[in-house]
Amino acid sequence: MTSTGCWSGGKTMERADRICRHPLWRDSMEQIWDLERDRVFCRHDTAHCLDVARLAYIEALEQGLTVPKELIYAAALLHDVGRHLQYREGVPHDQGSAGIAETVLADCGFTPEERAEVRAAILGHRDRETGERRDLAGLLYRADKASRNCLFCEAEAACNWSPEKKNMILKG
């Protein structure tokens, strides 16, 4: 199995589960998988997306935030889905991901308000200032950063991230 497999969700996660079955999401994740197949550093596969979702959801629970679990998973599943556009066309991946997310979310039954919230989180997931917020965007930013455990990475010494950016302590 490639890295595009997903889980079979319960009733409260039906729309998020539909994301994993959406042809555009699956095709985009396959393209990313193919483009990053030989990548030594962090990959942007389904495992990464699910790590981000779980970390964001745990933080939301611990902090008592009222962000719905399904929106957390939707944002996490879609936050890097436009990476293939960055690699092939030079489109910043947050912008490419937000565009793909709009189509996928609409097809999966998310409301216009939910789509706007998820897209805003995706567009802000690389902005350090977003990390200070106590909303979906802040959760996504922090979980994305915490999901990278540089401490255990075989390529840590060769990584192009600055020492300040690397996660050299266990986060979660």
Side-chain angles (χ1 to χ4, degrees):
M1 179 171 95
T2 66
S3 184
T4 59
C6 222
W7 74 100
S8 185
K11 288 184 180 182
T12 62
M13 295 287 285
E14 286 179 11
R15 296 178 303 164
D17 191 56
R18 279 188 231 144
I19 292 170
C20 300
R21 300 173 197 292
H22 194 283
L24 181 55
W25 185 85
R26 292 185 70 84
D27 179 64
S28 295
M29 294 303 288
E30 284 290 335
Q31 287 185 59
I32 295 165
W33 179 257
D34 288 341
L35 290 164
E36 291 185 347
R37 184 176 308 274
D38 297 325
R39 186 177 168 131
V40 176
F41 306 105
C42 303
R43 291 192 178 143
H44 301 92
D45 56 11
T46 304
H48 166 64
C49 294
L50 291 174
D51 285 345
V52 171
R54 292 176 187 122
L55 287 167
Y57 184 60
I58 290 168
E59 181 183 333
L61 291 174
E62 289 177 344
Q63 299 297 321
L65 302 178
T66 58
V67 180
K69 180 180 181 181
E70 194 164 40
L71 288 188
I72 291 170
Y73 272 77
L77 287 167
L78 292 161
H79 82 283
D80 280 336
V81 76
R83 281 222 169 247
H84 65 290
L85 298 173
Q86 180 173 324
Y87 297 144
R88 291 194 167 123
E89 301 171 21
V91 175
H93 83 270
D94 51 340
Q95 293 175 20
S97 297
I100 292 169
E102 179 62 30
T103 300
V104 172
L105 292 166
D107 289 350
C108 293
F110 289 83
T111 69
E113 295 80 15
E114 290 170 326
R115 294 194 310 261
E117 186 174 358
V118 170
R119 288 183 71 239
I122 291 168
L123 289 169
H125 88 272
R126 297 173 62 205
D127 183 0
R128 185 175 298 199
E129 292 176 12
T130 301
E132 303 298 320
R133 295 172 30 187
R134 293 179 46 85
D135 61 1
L136 179 59
L139 286 169
L140 185 62
Y141 174 90
R142 290 185 298 277
D144 190 35
K145 303 304 174 243
S147 72
R148 302 304 190 179
N149 290 303
C150 304
L151 177 65
F152 303 109
C153 180
E154 294 177 17
E156 184 272 323
C159 181
N160 61 359
W161 276 12
S162 66
E164 303 80 39
K165 198 173 179 183
K166 291 180 183 178
N167 293 326
M168 297 304 291
I169 59 172
L170 199 56
K171 294 182 180 179

